[in-house]
Amino acid sequence: MVQQSRTSKTRRAAGKALSQSALAVETNTNQTRISELERGLAPPDVPLARELERALDLPPDALVAVVRQMRDTKVRDYAQPYMRRLFVAEAIYHVGIAAVPGTLQTERYTAALMASGMVGVHPEDVRALARERWERAQEILTRPNPPHVTTILYEGVLHAELGDRSAVADQLGYLLRVAEQPNISVRILPFSAPVIVGMLTLLTFDQGAGHAAYTEGHACGAHTEESADVAESQRVYDRLSEEAERPARSLDMIRTALERMT
């Protein structure tokens, strides 16, 4: 699509087809990257896809939709409905017992988690998957009218080093930074509180479009929008929320954990 659109687009001044180098300039990238795209060696991320749509006068989301579709094929089948709904949620409520939920993970932290659960996978492939997850999270958090995100983390997450102490330290620092944003809140569930197995996420949608719940463990997960199932997950979330520390105290706990690591 990129090559066909580029060669059919003429520059007004010269009346010639737009070159790879000219397209690179218009999209703030380089000719090598454009060549890779046209040869199908490396698909664009969403920001570059939007730049290409603009530069090539393509309809909105013409390339972005393709990028998302390609990306979704790498998401496990059980998680695909959740991922699609995550992009349009007005509010996201996470509970992370074993790890920081994906929406607030750094790229390095994600790679460290994946390395633990993807035995035998080449490190470069793990890093590529971690990069894709990071890009998805950034697309969600930086979109116009970003969602409100409330994350409850079990205290043990602050002290799990995952075999990469510096990656965890980076993650804790990132949590402190994003928690400064008015739409993001991080709360810590202390060791003394009850816990659940795995992760739980609740989603709410704008204009009365309903609610959803997603639970996930190792290599398994379930997405539901059935009212009774969502209500049950909501009760679990509310119970844990009652036990969680307030945001200010939670951030102090994160700072203390970060100081211990550094």
Side-chain angles (χ1 to χ4, degrees), residues 44-64:
D45 56 19
V46 169
L48 179 53
R50 293 201 186 283
E51 286 293 303
L52 289 165
E53 289 172 351
R54 177 191 56 77
L56 297 172
D57 297 325
L58 295 172
D61 287 340
L63 276 175
V64 171

Side-chain angles (χ1 to χ4, degrees), residues 62-99:
L63 276 175
V64 171
V66 175
V67 171
R68 286 175 174 164
Q69 185 177 16
M70 294 173 63
R71 195 170 57 189
D72 285 348
T73 62
K74 298 181 181 180
V75 176
R76 294 180 185 270
D77 290 344
Y78 61 75
Q80 288 185 15
Y82 165 67
M83 290 305 307
R84 287 192 291 269
R85 297 296 269 161
L86 192 59
F87 279 96
V88 297
E90 179 187 37
I92 303 169
Y93 303 90
H94 288 305
V95 176
I97 298 301

Side-chain angles (χ1 to χ4, degrees), residues 93-105 109 150-159 171-172 174-176 178-179 185-191 193-195 198-200 237 240-241 243-245 250-251 253-254:
Y93 303 90
H94 288 305
V95 176
I97 298 301
V100 176
T103 308
L104 295 184
Q105 287 177 10
Y109 183 84
T150 300
T151 296
I152 296 175
L153 293 177
Y154 183 53
E155 187 174 357
V157 172
L158 307 182
H159 305 285
Q171 176 64 66
L172 297 182
Y174 178 70
L175 288 176
L176 291 173
V178 296
S185 175
V186 180
R187 300 177 61 196
I188 303 301
L189 191 67
F191 284 124
V195 296
M199 288 193 181
L200 167 65
Y237 178 88
L240 297 176
S241 181
E243 299 286 340
E245 300 286 356
S250 296
L251 295 183
M253 295 172 73
I254 296 173

Side-chain angles (χ1 to χ4, degrees), residues 30-241:
N30 56 67
Q31 185 175 350
T32 299
R33 185 73 176 99
I34 297 299
S35 177
E36 289 175 345
L37 292 174
E38 294 188 352
R39 289 183 290 155
L41 299 179
D45 56 19
V46 169
L48 179 53
R50 293 201 186 283
E51 286 293 303
L52 289 165
E53 289 172 351
R54 177 191 56 77
L56 297 172
D57 297 325
L58 295 172
D61 287 340
L63 276 175
V64 171
V66 175
V67 171
R68 286 175 174 164
Q69 185 177 16
M70 294 173 63
R71 195 170 57 189
D72 285 348
T73 62
K74 298 181 181 180
V75 176
R76 294 180 185 270
D77 290 344
Y78 61 75
Q80 288 185 15
Y82 165 67
M83 290 305 307
R84 287 192 291 269
R85 297 296 269 161
L86 192 59
F87 279 96
V88 297
E90 179 187 37
I92 303 169
Y93 303 90
H94 288 305
V95 176
I97 298 301
V100 176
T103 308
L104 295 184
Q105 287 177 10
T106 66
E107 186 176 343
R108 288 185 62 197
Y109 183 84
T110 299
L113 285 175
M114 287 182 168
S116 299
M118 301 177 70
V119 179
V121 179
H122 194 281
E124 288 186 4
D125 293 332
V126 171
R127 287 192 290 271
L129 290 170
R131 180 65 183 178
E132 289 173 4
R133 181 177 291 187
W134 162 254
E135 289 172 353
R136 284 198 298 267
Q138 291 308 295
E139 186 179 350
I140 292 166
L141 296 178
T142 61
R143 74 187 192 210
N145 299 317
H148 291 274
V149 181
T150 300
T151 296
I152 296 175
L153 293 177
Y154 183 53
E155 187 174 357
V157 172
L158 307 182
H159 305 285
E161 298 185 2
L162 305 179
D164 190 341
R165 188 185 183 97
S166 64
V168 178
D170 276 354
Q171 176 64 66
L172 297 182
Y174 178 70
L175 288 176
L176 291 173
R177 292 192 298 275
V178 296
E180 296 176 356
Q181 301 178 27
N183 63 310
I184 297 178
S185 175
V186 180
R187 300 177 61 196
I188 303 301
L189 191 67
F191 284 124
S192 58
V195 296
I196 59 173
V197 176
M199 288 193 181
L200 167 65
T201 299
L202 296 170
L203 305 176
T204 63
F205 307 102
D206 198 8
Q207 299 178 347
H211 306 268
Y214 178 70
T215 54
E216 186 174 50
H218 176 65
C220 62
H223 174 87
T224 181
E225 297 187 28
E226 293 292 332
S227 298
D229 295 334
V230 174
E232 181 180 352
S233 293
Q234 182 70 60
R235 288 192 291 270
V236 173
Y237 178 88
D238 291 344
R239 175 72 179 88
L240 297 176
S241 181

